[in-house]
Amino acid sequence: MGSVNSIREELLAYMNRNQMIHSHFAELSGINSGTLSRILKGNHPISMAQLVAITAGMKLPEDYFFEDYIEECFSFVVSMRRIRPFIFRCAELDRLDCLEQVVNRLLEDLSYASVLFEFAEHFYWDNKRQAARILYQGVSEAEKYQHSERLAFCQYRLFRIEVEEQEDLEEKLRAATQFELYVNRLDAADQLDAMKQLMHIYGLVHKWKRVDDLAKEMHRIASVQYELESRRSDTIDEGLKCPERPFYYYILYANLARATSSEECGDYKQALSFVKLYANGERWVRENNEQSRQIIAQFSTWAVANTYLYRLMSGELDVIDEYANYIALQENEIFIAVRYIVQAANVFKLNVDSILERFAPYIPYETSKTEFGEYKQTILKESYAQFLIDLAIYHFNQRKSNENALNTVLKSLEISITINSSKNIIACMTLFEEYRDFADQKLQERFKKLSSEVYQLHAKKDLILLDAL
Protein backbone atom coordinates (compact mmCIF):
# COMPACT_ATOMS: atom_id res chain seq x y z
CA MET A 1 0.00 0.00 0.00
CA GLY A 2 0.97 3.66 0.19
CA SER A 3 3.32 5.51 2.50
CA VAL A 4 2.78 6.36 6.15
CA ASN A 5 0.82 9.44 5.05
CA SER A 6 -1.35 7.62 2.49
CA ILE A 7 -4.48 8.01 4.64
CA ARG A 8 -3.78 11.74 4.98
CA GLU A 9 -2.99 12.07 1.27
CA GLU A 10 -6.24 10.39 0.25
CA LEU A 11 -8.19 12.49 2.72
CA LEU A 12 -6.65 15.71 1.38
CA ALA A 13 -7.32 14.62 -2.20
CA TYR A 14 -10.96 13.87 -1.26
CA MET A 15 -11.39 17.29 0.36
CA ASN A 16 -9.84 19.03 -2.66
CA ARG A 17 -12.06 17.13 -5.10
CA ASN A 18 -15.13 18.10 -3.12
CA GLN A 19 -13.88 21.64 -2.40
CA MET A 20 -14.10 21.13 1.36
CA ILE A 21 -12.35 23.19 3.98
CA HIS A 22 -11.14 21.56 7.22
CA SER A 23 -14.07 22.75 9.27
CA HIS A 24 -16.57 21.33 6.78
CA PHE A 25 -15.05 17.83 6.87
CA ALA A 26 -14.58 18.11 10.63
CA GLU A 27 -18.30 18.77 10.99
CA LEU A 28 -19.16 16.00 8.52
CA SER A 29 -16.98 13.40 10.27
CA GLY A 30 -17.43 14.56 13.86
CA ILE A 31 -13.70 15.05 14.38
CA ASN A 32 -12.55 18.16 16.23
CA SER A 33 -11.32 20.74 13.69
CA GLY A 34 -8.01 21.33 15.49
CA THR A 35 -7.40 17.59 15.81
CA LEU A 36 -8.15 17.11 12.10
CA SER A 37 -5.65 19.85 11.24
CA ARG A 38 -2.92 18.19 13.33
CA ILE A 39 -3.72 14.80 11.74
CA LEU A 40 -3.40 16.22 8.24
CA LYS A 41 -0.07 17.83 9.08
CA GLY A 42 1.21 14.46 10.35
CA ASN A 43 1.66 15.79 13.88
CA HIS A 44 -1.00 13.61 15.47
CA PRO A 45 -1.53 9.83 15.26
CA ILE A 46 -4.91 8.70 13.98
CA SER A 47 -6.91 6.79 16.58
CA MET A 48 -9.18 3.93 15.56
CA ALA A 49 -12.27 6.03 16.32
CA GLN A 50 -10.88 8.80 14.12
CA LEU A 51 -10.09 6.33 11.33
CA VAL A 52 -13.70 5.11 11.41
CA ALA A 53 -14.93 8.72 11.34
CA ILE A 54 -12.64 9.64 8.41
CA THR A 55 -13.67 6.57 6.43
CA ALA A 56 -17.36 7.20 7.05
CA GLY A 57 -16.94 10.87 6.15
CA MET A 58 -15.39 9.83 2.82
CA LYS A 59 -18.24 7.33 2.28
CA LEU A 60 -15.82 4.39 2.01
CA PRO A 61 -16.10 0.83 3.38
CA GLU A 62 -15.02 0.71 7.01
CA ASP A 63 -11.93 -1.43 6.34
CA TYR A 64 -10.79 0.59 3.29
CA PHE A 65 -7.74 2.04 5.07
CA PHE A 66 -6.94 -0.96 7.29
CA GLU A 67 -3.76 -1.97 5.45
CA ASP A 68 -2.50 1.64 5.54
CA TYR A 69 -3.43 1.90 9.20
CA ILE A 70 -0.99 -0.89 10.09
CA GLU A 71 1.85 1.52 9.29
CA GLU A 72 0.05 4.26 11.21
CA CYS A 73 0.06 2.02 14.30
CA PHE A 74 3.85 1.85 14.26
CA SER A 75 4.75 5.31 12.93
CA PHE A 76 4.39 7.10 16.24
CA VAL A 77 5.04 5.75 19.75
CA VAL A 78 3.52 2.27 19.81
CA SER A 79 0.44 2.42 22.02
CA MET A 80 -1.77 -0.54 22.85
CA ARG A 81 -4.56 1.95 23.60
CA ARG A 82 -4.49 2.79 19.88
CA ILE A 83 -3.70 -0.69 18.54
CA ARG A 84 -6.13 -2.69 20.68
CA PRO A 85 -9.31 -1.29 19.05
CA PHE A 86 -7.78 -1.95 15.62
CA ILE A 87 -7.00 -5.58 16.52
CA PHE A 88 -10.54 -6.13 17.77
CA ARG A 89 -12.10 -4.46 14.72
CA CYS A 90 -9.96 -6.61 12.38
CA ALA A 91 -11.31 -9.68 14.16
CA GLU A 92 -14.91 -8.44 13.96
CA LEU A 93 -14.66 -7.64 10.23
CA ASP A 94 -12.68 -10.81 9.47
CA ARG A 95 -9.67 -8.85 8.23
CA LEU A 96 -7.33 -11.62 9.33
CA ASP A 97 -4.63 -10.50 6.89
CA CYS A 98 -4.28 -7.17 8.71
CA LEU A 99 -4.58 -8.83 12.10
CA GLU A 100 -1.70 -11.17 11.31
CA GLN A 101 0.54 -8.31 10.15
CA VAL A 102 -0.10 -6.29 13.32
CA VAL A 103 0.52 -9.30 15.57
CA ASN A 104 3.79 -10.15 13.82
CA ARG A 105 4.98 -6.56 14.13
CA LEU A 106 4.07 -6.36 17.82
CA LEU A 107 5.79 -9.65 18.65
CA GLU A 108 9.11 -8.29 17.49
CA ASP A 109 9.00 -7.07 21.10
CA LEU A 110 8.28 -10.13 23.30
CA SER A 111 6.84 -7.94 26.05
CA TYR A 112 3.60 -7.83 24.04
CA ALA A 113 3.12 -11.62 24.21
CA SER A 114 1.17 -11.43 27.45
CA VAL A 115 -1.42 -8.91 26.27
CA LEU A 116 -1.83 -10.65 22.91
CA PHE A 117 -2.47 -13.91 24.75
CA GLU A 118 -5.27 -12.16 26.68
CA PHE A 119 -6.75 -10.93 23.40
CA ALA A 120 -6.56 -14.46 22.00
CA GLU A 121 -8.49 -15.81 24.98
CA HIS A 122 -11.14 -13.12 24.48
CA PHE A 123 -11.54 -14.09 20.81
CA TYR A 124 -11.61 -17.79 21.66
CA TRP A 125 -14.52 -17.44 24.06
CA ASP A 126 -16.23 -14.93 21.75
CA ASN A 127 -16.23 -17.65 19.07
CA LYS A 128 -13.82 -15.74 16.80
CA ARG A 129 -11.66 -18.82 16.49
CA GLN A 130 -9.71 -17.82 13.35
CA ALA A 131 -8.66 -14.54 14.93
CA ALA A 132 -7.74 -16.40 18.11
CA ARG A 133 -5.71 -18.90 16.08
CA ILE A 134 -3.54 -16.09 14.63
CA LEU A 135 -2.76 -14.71 18.08
CA TYR A 136 -2.09 -18.12 19.65
CA GLN A 137 0.23 -18.99 16.77
CA GLY A 138 2.04 -15.69 17.10
CA VAL A 139 2.54 -16.05 20.85
CA SER A 140 3.63 -19.69 20.42
CA GLU A 141 6.21 -18.74 17.84
CA ALA A 142 7.48 -15.87 20.00
CA GLU A 143 7.83 -18.13 23.06
CA LYS A 144 8.94 -21.35 21.37
CA TYR A 145 12.21 -21.39 23.31
CA GLN A 146 10.68 -20.42 26.65
CA HIS A 147 9.15 -23.83 27.61
CA SER A 148 6.46 -21.86 29.42
CA GLU A 149 3.00 -22.93 30.55
CA ARG A 150 1.60 -20.15 28.34
CA LEU A 151 3.30 -21.72 25.30
CA ALA A 152 1.75 -25.09 26.20
CA PHE A 153 -1.66 -23.49 26.69
CA CYS A 154 -1.45 -21.76 23.29
CA GLN A 155 -0.71 -25.14 21.74
CA TYR A 156 -3.68 -26.60 23.60
CA ARG A 157 -5.99 -23.91 22.24
CA LEU A 158 -4.63 -24.41 18.71
CA PHE A 159 -5.25 -28.15 19.09
CA ARG A 160 -8.85 -27.56 20.21
CA ILE A 161 -9.51 -25.16 17.33
CA GLU A 162 -8.04 -27.61 14.83
CA VAL A 163 -10.00 -30.67 15.97
CA GLU A 164 -13.26 -28.72 16.25
CA GLU A 165 -12.95 -27.49 12.66
CA GLN A 166 -11.56 -30.63 11.04
CA GLU A 167 -13.59 -33.66 10.07
CA ASP A 168 -10.56 -35.31 8.47
CA LEU A 169 -9.34 -37.96 10.93
CA GLU A 170 -5.77 -37.86 9.65
CA GLU A 171 -5.65 -34.12 10.28
CA LYS A 172 -7.11 -34.64 13.75
CA LEU A 173 -4.43 -37.25 14.44
CA ARG A 174 -1.70 -34.90 13.17
CA ALA A 175 -2.97 -32.16 15.49
CA ALA A 176 -3.11 -34.57 18.45
CA THR A 177 0.42 -35.87 17.84
CA GLN A 178 1.77 -32.33 17.58
CA PHE A 179 0.01 -31.14 20.72
CA GLU A 180 0.82 -34.15 22.90
CA LEU A 181 4.41 -32.92 23.21
CA TYR A 182 3.08 -30.03 25.31
CA VAL A 183 0.40 -31.66 27.44
CA ASN A 184 2.64 -32.33 30.44
CA ARG A 185 3.50 -28.62 30.71
CA LEU A 186 -0.11 -27.64 31.35
CA ASP A 187 -1.67 -26.92 34.70
CA ALA A 188 -3.14 -30.14 36.18
CA ALA A 189 -6.71 -28.94 35.59
CA ASP A 190 -6.02 -28.25 31.92
CA GLN A 191 -4.11 -31.52 31.56
CA LEU A 192 -7.21 -33.52 32.43
CA ASP A 193 -9.38 -31.85 29.80
CA ALA A 194 -6.56 -32.04 27.24
CA MET A 195 -6.07 -35.76 27.87
CA LYS A 196 -9.78 -36.34 27.42
CA GLN A 197 -9.64 -34.61 24.02
CA LEU A 198 -6.54 -36.60 23.03
CA MET A 199 -8.26 -39.86 24.00
CA HIS A 200 -11.19 -38.98 21.74
CA ILE A 201 -8.87 -38.52 18.76
CA TYR A 202 -6.79 -41.64 19.40
CA GLY A 203 -9.99 -43.63 19.89
CA LEU A 204 -11.34 -42.38 16.56
CA VAL A 205 -8.26 -43.73 14.77
CA HIS A 206 -8.25 -46.94 16.84
CA LYS A 207 -4.98 -46.34 18.69
CA TRP A 208 -6.25 -48.06 21.81
CA LYS A 209 -2.87 -48.60 23.49
CA ARG A 210 -2.39 -44.82 23.42
CA VAL A 211 -5.90 -44.31 24.84
CA ASP A 212 -5.09 -46.70 27.68
CA ASP A 213 -1.79 -44.95 28.48
CA LEU A 214 -3.51 -41.56 28.61
CA ALA A 215 -6.32 -42.96 30.75
CA LYS A 216 -3.77 -44.29 33.28
CA GLU A 217 -2.16 -40.85 33.50
CA MET A 218 -5.56 -39.14 33.74
CA HIS A 219 -6.50 -41.44 36.62
CA ARG A 220 -3.23 -40.68 38.43
CA ILE A 221 -3.49 -36.90 38.09
CA ALA A 222 -7.21 -36.74 38.90
CA SER A 223 -6.77 -38.95 41.98
CA VAL A 224 -3.92 -36.79 43.31
CA GLN A 225 -5.88 -33.58 42.69
CA TYR A 226 -9.05 -34.99 44.27
CA GLU A 227 -7.15 -35.85 47.44
CA LEU A 228 -5.42 -32.45 47.50
CA GLU A 229 -8.78 -30.76 47.00
CA SER A 230 -10.15 -32.40 50.14
CA ARG A 231 -7.26 -30.95 52.21
CA ARG A 232 -7.49 -27.38 50.97
CA SER A 233 -9.26 -24.75 53.03
CA ASP A 234 -11.89 -22.53 51.42
CA THR A 235 -9.58 -19.51 51.60
CA ILE A 236 -6.73 -21.21 49.77
CA ASP A 237 -9.15 -22.68 47.27
CA GLU A 238 -10.55 -19.42 45.90
CA GLY A 239 -8.10 -18.70 43.09
CA LEU A 240 -7.48 -22.35 42.21
CA LYS A 241 -7.93 -23.33 38.58
CA CYS A 242 -10.47 -26.12 38.11
CA PRO A 243 -11.07 -28.41 35.13
CA GLU A 244 -14.29 -28.32 33.13
CA ARG A 245 -15.79 -31.00 35.40
CA PRO A 246 -15.09 -32.11 38.99
CA PHE A 247 -11.92 -34.14 39.61
CA TYR A 248 -13.91 -37.27 40.50
CA TYR A 249 -15.47 -37.19 37.01
CA TYR A 250 -12.03 -37.74 35.44
CA ILE A 251 -11.34 -40.70 37.77
CA LEU A 252 -14.58 -42.31 36.59
CA TYR A 253 -13.91 -41.35 32.97
CA ALA A 254 -10.39 -42.84 33.06
CA ASN A 255 -11.84 -46.19 34.15
CA LEU A 256 -14.48 -45.98 31.41
CA ALA A 257 -11.75 -45.28 28.84
CA ARG A 258 -9.64 -48.20 30.06
CA ALA A 259 -12.67 -50.48 29.86
CA THR A 260 -13.29 -49.34 26.28
CA SER A 261 -9.64 -49.92 25.35
CA SER A 262 -9.78 -53.44 26.80
CA GLU A 263 -13.03 -54.13 24.94
CA GLU A 264 -11.59 -52.93 21.62
CA CYS A 265 -8.60 -55.23 22.16
CA GLY A 266 -10.96 -58.16 22.80
CA ASP A 267 -10.17 -58.51 26.52
CA TYR A 268 -13.71 -58.51 27.91
CA LYS A 269 -12.70 -59.94 31.29
CA GLN A 270 -10.43 -56.96 31.92
CA ALA A 271 -13.07 -54.61 30.52
CA LEU A 272 -15.54 -55.92 33.14
CA SER A 273 -12.98 -55.32 35.91
CA PHE A 274 -12.82 -51.64 34.93
CA VAL A 275 -16.62 -51.42 34.74
CA LYS A 276 -16.75 -52.19 38.47
CA LEU A 277 -14.51 -49.19 39.09
CA TYR A 278 -16.89 -46.66 37.52
CA ALA A 279 -20.18 -48.41 38.35
CA ASN A 280 -20.53 -47.35 41.97
CA GLY A 281 -19.22 -43.81 42.31
CA GLU A 282 -21.60 -43.09 45.18
CA ARG A 283 -19.42 -45.31 47.41
CA TRP A 284 -16.42 -42.99 47.32
CA VAL A 285 -17.37 -39.63 45.77
CA ARG A 286 -17.50 -37.19 48.69
CA GLU A 287 -19.77 -34.61 47.05
CA ASN A 288 -23.50 -35.01 47.43
CA ASN A 289 -25.17 -32.46 45.20
CA GLU A 290 -27.19 -32.35 42.00
CA GLN A 291 -24.10 -32.40 39.79
CA SER A 292 -22.47 -35.36 41.53
CA ARG A 293 -25.71 -37.35 41.52
CA GLN A 294 -26.14 -36.67 37.80
CA ILE A 295 -22.57 -37.73 36.95
CA ILE A 296 -22.70 -40.86 39.11
CA ALA A 297 -26.05 -41.85 37.58
CA GLN A 298 -24.72 -41.48 34.04
CA PHE A 299 -21.66 -43.64 34.71
CA SER A 300 -23.86 -46.21 36.47
CA THR A 301 -26.10 -46.35 33.39
CA TRP A 302 -23.08 -46.89 31.15
CA ALA A 303 -21.81 -49.56 33.55
CA VAL A 304 -25.02 -51.59 33.35
CA ALA A 305 -25.19 -51.34 29.55
CA ASN A 306 -21.50 -52.19 29.11
CA THR A 307 -21.74 -55.14 31.49
CA TYR A 308 -24.43 -56.61 29.23
CA LEU A 309 -22.27 -55.85 26.20
CA TYR A 310 -19.08 -57.44 27.55
CA ARG A 311 -20.96 -60.51 28.75
CA LEU A 312 -22.54 -60.81 25.30
CA MET A 313 -19.22 -60.42 23.49
CA SER A 314 -17.70 -62.99 25.86
CA GLY A 315 -20.21 -65.54 24.55
CA GLU A 316 -23.09 -65.25 27.07
CA LEU A 317 -25.64 -65.08 24.27
CA ASP A 318 -28.66 -65.43 26.54
CA VAL A 319 -28.20 -61.83 27.80
CA ILE A 320 -29.00 -60.29 24.41
CA ASP A 321 -32.71 -59.80 25.12
CA GLU A 322 -31.99 -58.32 28.56
CA TYR A 323 -29.49 -55.98 26.93
CA ALA A 324 -32.03 -54.89 24.32
CA ASN A 325 -34.71 -54.31 26.96
CA TYR A 326 -32.33 -52.25 29.08
CA ILE A 327 -31.14 -49.97 26.30
CA ALA A 328 -34.76 -49.44 25.21
CA LEU A 329 -35.08 -47.38 28.41
CA GLN A 330 -31.94 -45.34 27.55
CA GLU A 331 -33.08 -43.68 24.33
CA ASN A 332 -29.90 -41.67 23.78
CA GLU A 333 -27.72 -44.77 23.94
CA ILE A 334 -29.75 -47.00 21.59
CA PHE A 335 -27.81 -46.37 18.39
CA ILE A 336 -24.43 -47.20 19.97
CA ALA A 337 -25.86 -50.33 21.63
CA VAL A 338 -27.44 -51.60 18.39
CA ARG A 339 -24.09 -51.20 16.68
CA TYR A 340 -22.50 -53.52 19.25
CA ILE A 341 -25.38 -56.01 19.03
CA VAL A 342 -24.82 -56.27 15.26
CA GLN A 343 -21.10 -56.85 15.88
CA ALA A 344 -21.97 -59.67 18.29
CA ALA A 345 -24.41 -61.10 15.75
CA ASN A 346 -21.60 -61.28 13.18
CA VAL A 347 -19.17 -62.93 15.62
CA PHE A 348 -21.62 -65.55 16.90
CA LYS A 349 -23.81 -65.91 13.76
CA LEU A 350 -26.95 -64.68 15.52
CA ASN A 351 -30.17 -63.49 13.94
CA VAL A 352 -31.04 -60.09 15.40
CA ASP A 353 -33.69 -59.03 12.88
CA SER A 354 -36.23 -58.48 15.64
CA ILE A 355 -33.88 -56.11 17.48
CA LEU A 356 -33.06 -54.19 14.28
CA GLU A 357 -36.76 -53.87 13.54
CA ARG A 358 -37.52 -52.80 17.11
CA PHE A 359 -34.96 -50.00 17.04
CA ALA A 360 -35.32 -49.02 13.37
CA PRO A 361 -36.43 -45.45 14.24
CA TYR A 362 -32.98 -44.84 15.74
CA ILE A 363 -31.16 -45.91 12.55
CA PRO A 364 -29.92 -43.86 10.83
CA TYR A 365 -29.10 -41.64 13.77
CA GLU A 366 -29.83 -37.93 13.78
CA THR A 367 -27.91 -37.09 16.91
CA SER A 368 -27.21 -38.70 20.23
CA LYS A 369 -27.12 -37.02 23.60
CA THR A 370 -26.07 -37.88 27.11
CA GLU A 371 -26.39 -35.98 30.35
CA PHE A 372 -23.16 -34.23 29.33
CA GLY A 373 -24.32 -32.91 25.94
CA GLU A 374 -24.18 -34.11 22.35
CA TYR A 375 -21.60 -36.53 21.06
CA LYS A 376 -19.21 -34.81 18.67
CA GLN A 377 -20.39 -35.18 15.09
CA THR A 378 -17.14 -36.73 13.86
CA ILE A 379 -17.34 -39.39 16.57
CA LEU A 380 -20.90 -40.18 15.51
CA LYS A 381 -20.01 -40.27 11.81
CA GLU A 382 -17.11 -42.63 12.40
CA SER A 383 -19.27 -44.83 14.61
CA TYR A 384 -22.09 -44.81 12.05
CA ALA A 385 -19.72 -45.72 9.23
CA GLN A 386 -18.50 -48.69 11.28
CA PHE A 387 -22.08 -49.70 12.04
CA LEU A 388 -22.99 -49.71 8.33
CA ILE A 389 -20.03 -51.98 7.57
CA ASP A 390 -21.13 -54.39 10.32
CA LEU A 391 -24.73 -54.18 9.12
CA ALA A 392 -23.69 -55.01 5.54
CA ILE A 393 -21.71 -58.02 6.77
CA TYR A 394 -24.76 -59.09 8.79
CA HIS A 395 -26.95 -58.89 5.67
CA PHE A 396 -24.43 -60.95 3.69
CA ASN A 397 -24.19 -63.54 6.49
CA GLN A 398 -27.96 -63.77 6.82
CA ARG A 399 -28.39 -64.15 3.05
CA LYS A 400 -30.32 -60.90 2.86
CA SER A 401 -30.58 -58.77 -0.29
CA ASN A 402 -27.08 -58.40 -1.71
CA GLU A 403 -28.14 -55.18 -3.40
CA ASN A 404 -29.19 -53.64 -0.07
CA ALA A 405 -26.00 -54.88 1.55
CA LEU A 406 -23.83 -53.35 -1.17
CA ASN A 407 -25.77 -50.06 -0.94
CA THR A 408 -25.04 -50.09 2.79
CA VAL A 409 -21.33 -50.61 2.08
CA LEU A 410 -21.29 -47.65 -0.32
CA LYS A 411 -23.15 -45.44 2.15
CA SER A 412 -20.46 -46.23 4.72
CA LEU A 413 -17.77 -45.50 2.15
CA GLU A 414 -19.30 -42.07 1.42
CA ILE A 415 -19.28 -41.15 5.12
CA SER A 416 -15.77 -42.55 5.62
CA ILE A 417 -14.45 -40.42 2.76
CA THR A 418 -15.91 -37.22 4.29
CA ILE A 419 -13.97 -37.84 7.53
CA ASN A 420 -11.00 -39.57 5.84
CA SER A 421 -11.25 -42.70 7.99
CA SER A 422 -8.60 -44.89 6.37
CA LYS A 423 -9.60 -47.96 8.37
CA ASN A 424 -13.23 -47.77 7.29
CA ILE A 425 -12.37 -46.82 3.69
CA ILE A 426 -10.21 -49.94 3.36
CA ALA A 427 -12.89 -52.10 4.99
CA CYS A 428 -15.59 -50.78 2.65
CA MET A 429 -13.55 -51.18 -0.52
CA THR A 430 -12.43 -54.68 0.46
CA LEU A 431 -16.01 -55.71 1.26
CA PHE A 432 -17.37 -54.35 -2.01
CA GLU A 433 -14.67 -56.11 -4.02
CA GLU A 434 -15.50 -59.38 -2.25
CA TYR A 435 -19.15 -59.14 -3.35
CA ARG A 436 -18.62 -57.21 -6.59
CA ASP A 437 -20.19 -60.01 -8.66
CA PHE A 438 -23.56 -59.21 -7.06
CA ALA A 439 -23.38 -55.50 -7.99
CA ASP A 440 -25.44 -54.22 -10.91
CA GLN A 441 -24.18 -51.55 -13.32
CA LYS A 442 -25.50 -48.71 -11.20
CA LEU A 443 -23.71 -49.94 -8.07
CA GLN A 444 -20.52 -50.54 -10.06
CA GLU A 445 -20.57 -46.96 -11.37
CA ARG A 446 -21.20 -45.56 -7.91
CA PHE A 447 -18.30 -47.56 -6.49
CA LYS A 448 -16.06 -46.36 -9.32
CA LYS A 449 -16.95 -42.73 -8.55
CA LEU A 450 -16.25 -43.19 -4.84
CA SER A 451 -12.98 -44.98 -5.59
CA SER A 452 -11.95 -41.96 -7.63
CA GLU A 453 -12.74 -39.70 -4.65
CA VAL A 454 -10.54 -41.89 -2.44
CA TYR A 455 -7.71 -41.58 -4.96
CA GLN A 456 -8.11 -37.80 -5.15
CA LEU A 457 -8.22 -37.53 -1.37
CA HIS A 458 -4.90 -39.31 -0.97
CA ALA A 459 -3.33 -37.65 -3.99
CA LYS A 460 -4.12 -34.29 -2.39
CA LYS A 461 -2.52 -35.44 0.88
CA ASP A 462 0.61 -36.55 -0.99
CA LEU A 463 0.89 -33.13 -2.65
CA ILE A 464 0.59 -31.38 0.70
CA LEU A 465 3.35 -33.58 2.10
CA LEU A 466 5.60 -32.92 -0.89
CA ASP A 467 5.05 -29.17 -0.57
CA ALA A 468 6.08 -29.37 3.08
CA LEU A 469 9.44 -30.99 2.24
Side-chain angles (χ1 to χ4, degrees), residues 1-2 5-12 14 25 46 48 50-73 86 90 95 98:
M1 293 297 292
N5 292 318
S6 60
I7 300 172
R8 295 166 176 81
E9 289 169 356
E10 287 207 38
L11 175 53
L12 279 169
Y14 176 84
F25 188 81
I46 303 171
M48 188 61 201
Q50 289 162 353
L51 180 70
V52 170
I54 289 168
T55 308
M58 294 172 67
K59 298 180 175 59
L60 295 170
E62 185 178 340
D63 64 343
Y64 181 84
F65 286 121
F66 273 23
E67 291 182 56
D68 297 297
Y69 193 68
I70 294 167
E71 289 302 325
E72 181 74 17
C73 289
F86 181 54
C90 285
R95 284 303 303 266
C98 296

Side-chain angles (χ1 to χ4, degrees), residues 248-249 251-260 263 271-282 284 295-307 310:
Y248 61 80
Y249 168 89
I251 298 172
L252 294 166
Y253 191 88
N255 288 318
L256 173 64
R258 297 203 69 190
T260 304
E263 166 215 328
L272 282 167
S273 71
F274 285 118
V275 168
K276 294 175 184 176
L277 298 178
Y278 66 81
N280 300 301
E282 71 279 356
W284 58 270
I295 289 172
I296 289 167
Q298 178 66 85
F299 278 96
S300 296
T301 297
W302 284 331
V304 175
N306 288 337
T307 297
Y310 301 152

Side-chain angles (χ1 to χ4, degrees), residues 193-424:
D193 292 316
M195 286 176 176
K196 186 168 180 285
Q197 295 299 319
L198 285 170
M199 282 192 279
H200 283 170
I201 305 303
Y202 287 127
L204 278 170
V205 295
H206 306 277
K207 292 186 177 293
W208 297 108
K209 175 65 168 62
R210 196 70 204 99
V211 171
D212 194 59
D213 290 342
L214 285 164
K216 287 179 190 175
E217 185 64 3
M218 174 186 277
H219 189 280
R220 184 190 70 79
I221 293 170
S223 298
V224 169
Q225 293 301 314
Y226 193 46
E227 286 307 308
L228 287 174
E229 186 179 58
S230 69
R231 301 173 194 171
R232 295 185 186 111
S233 69
D234 291 340
T235 53
I236 297 174
D237 226 4
E238 277 183 18
L240 192 70
K241 190 169 188 177
C242 295
E244 291 179 9
R245 296 192 175 97
F247 287 114
Y248 61 80
Y249 168 89
Y250 297 92
I251 298 172
L252 294 166
Y253 191 88
N255 288 318
L256 173 64
R258 297 203 69 190
T260 304
S261 297
S262 300
E263 166 215 328
E264 293 289 346
C265 295
D267 191 341
Y268 302 110
K269 183 177 180 181
Q270 182 165 287
L272 282 167
S273 71
F274 285 118
V275 168
K276 294 175 184 176
L277 298 178
Y278 66 81
N280 300 301
E282 71 279 356
R283 293 181 181 176
W284 58 270
V285 172
R286 292 185 293 270
E287 289 76 1
N288 184 18
N289 51 41
E290 183 59 31
Q291 183 185 37
S292 66
R293 288 189 289 272
Q294 187 182 56
I295 289 172
I296 289 167
Q298 178 66 85
F299 278 96
S300 296
T301 297
W302 284 331
V304 175
N306 288 337
T307 297
Y308 280 124
L309 168 63
Y310 301 152
R311 287 176 61 194
L312 175 62
M313 296 303 290
S314 297
E316 295 183 44
L317 306 184
D318 56 335
V319 304
I320 194 166
D321 290 330
E322 288 180 59
Y323 185 23
N325 289 335
Y326 181 76
I327 59 125
L329 304 175
Q330 313 295 329
E331 185 174 305
N332 296 320
E333 304 295 329
I334 289 174
F335 164 68
I336 300 297
V338 171
R339 178 192 144 204
Y340 287 125
I341 287 171
V342 173
Q343 282 184 359
N346 291 338
V347 171
F348 298 108
K349 307 302 182 214
L350 305 175
N351 186 304
V352 293
D353 286 357
S354 60
I355 292 174
L356 289 172
E357 184 177 345
R358 178 181 182 182
F359 297 122
Y362 300 91
I363 307 164
Y365 73 92
E366 291 299 328
T367 186
S368 192
K369 296 182 181 180
T370 68
E371 294 293 337
F372 309 117
E374 294 189 4
Y375 286 114
K376 297 295 185 184
Q377 281 302 306
T378 306
I379 295 175
L380 275 177
K381 283 185 177 181
E382 202 277 340
S383 185
Y384 189 50
Q386 284 190 59
F387 168 74
L388 291 174
I389 293 168
D390 292 328
L391 186 62
I393 293 170
Y394 175 77
H395 288 327
F396 286 129
N397 289 344
Q398 296 292 319
R399 302 290 193 270
K400 304 285 184 182
S401 164
N402 288 323
E403 183 181 351
N404 286 342
L406 287 168
N407 267 310
T408 302
V409 172
L410 295 182
K411 186 174 183 181
S412 177
L413 182 55
E414 286 175 345
I415 296 169
S416 300
I417 289 169
T418 65
I419 59 174
N420 193 17
S421 173
S422 297
K423 177 178 179 289
N424 289 337

Side-chain angles (χ1 to χ4, degrees), residues 60-249:
L60 295 170
E62 185 178 340
D63 64 343
Y64 181 84
F65 286 121
F66 273 23
E67 291 182 56
D68 297 297
Y69 193 68
I70 294 167
E71 289 302 325
E72 181 74 17
C73 289
F74 296 93
S75 295
F76 295 83
V77 175
V78 175
S79 166
M80 286 308 298
R81 281 187 64 187
R82 189 153 37 91
I83 296 175
R84 183 187 187 278
F86 181 54
I87 287 175
F88 276 69
R89 201 62 189 142
C90 285
E92 287 164 8
L93 297 180
D94 209 28
R95 284 303 303 266
L96 303 182
D97 55 333
C98 296
L99 178 63
E100 186 169 11
Q101 290 181 59
V102 171
V103 169
N104 290 341
R105 291 279 292 272
L106 282 171
L107 287 171
E108 291 173 6
D109 180 347
L110 294 184
S111 66
Y112 289 110
S114 178
V115 68
L116 288 177
F117 175 77
E118 291 175 13
F119 294 169
E121 284 289 275
H122 178 91
F123 293 147
Y124 182 85
W125 293 112
D126 199 30
N127 208 30
K128 295 182 176 66
R129 298 297 168 85
Q130 293 311 307
R133 184 206 294 268
I134 288 170
L135 272 71
Y136 288 130
Q137 286 174 335
V139 175
S140 292
E141 184 62 26
E143 298 197 338
K144 64 182 177 183
Y145 301 116
Q146 304 300 313
H147 303 287
S148 64
E149 186 180 324
R150 186 163 60 205
L151 169 63
F153 196 80
C154 284
Q155 290 294 325
Y156 178 39
R157 286 287 195 239
L158 289 168
F159 165 66
R160 291 291 295 264
I161 291 169
E162 185 73 12
V163 298
E164 285 168 10
E165 290 179 352
Q166 282 283 352
E167 280 201 319
D168 188 310
L169 294 188
E170 288 190 12
E171 290 301 312
K172 285 179 181 286
L173 177 59
R174 180 198 57 74
T177 304
Q178 181 176 311
F179 164 64
E180 197 175 352
L181 299 170
Y182 298 90
V183 70
N184 291 331
R185 301 185 202 172
L186 292 170
D187 178 275
D190 293 319
Q191 276 191 55
L192 294 171
D193 292 316
M195 286 176 176
K196 186 168 180 285
Q197 295 299 319
L198 285 170
M199 282 192 279
H200 283 170
I201 305 303
Y202 287 127
L204 278 170
V205 295
H206 306 277
K207 292 186 177 293
W208 297 108
K209 175 65 168 62
R210 196 70 204 99
V211 171
D212 194 59
D213 290 342
L214 285 164
K216 287 179 190 175
E217 185 64 3
M218 174 186 277
H219 189 280
R220 184 190 70 79
I221 293 170
S223 298
V224 169
Q225 293 301 314
Y226 193 46
E227 286 307 308
L228 287 174
E229 186 179 58
S230 69
R231 301 173 194 171
R232 295 185 186 111
S233 69
D234 291 340
T235 53
I236 297 174
D237 226 4
E238 277 183 18
L240 192 70
K241 190 169 188 177
C242 295
E244 291 179 9
R245 296 192 175 97
F247 287 114
Y248 61 80
Y249 168 89

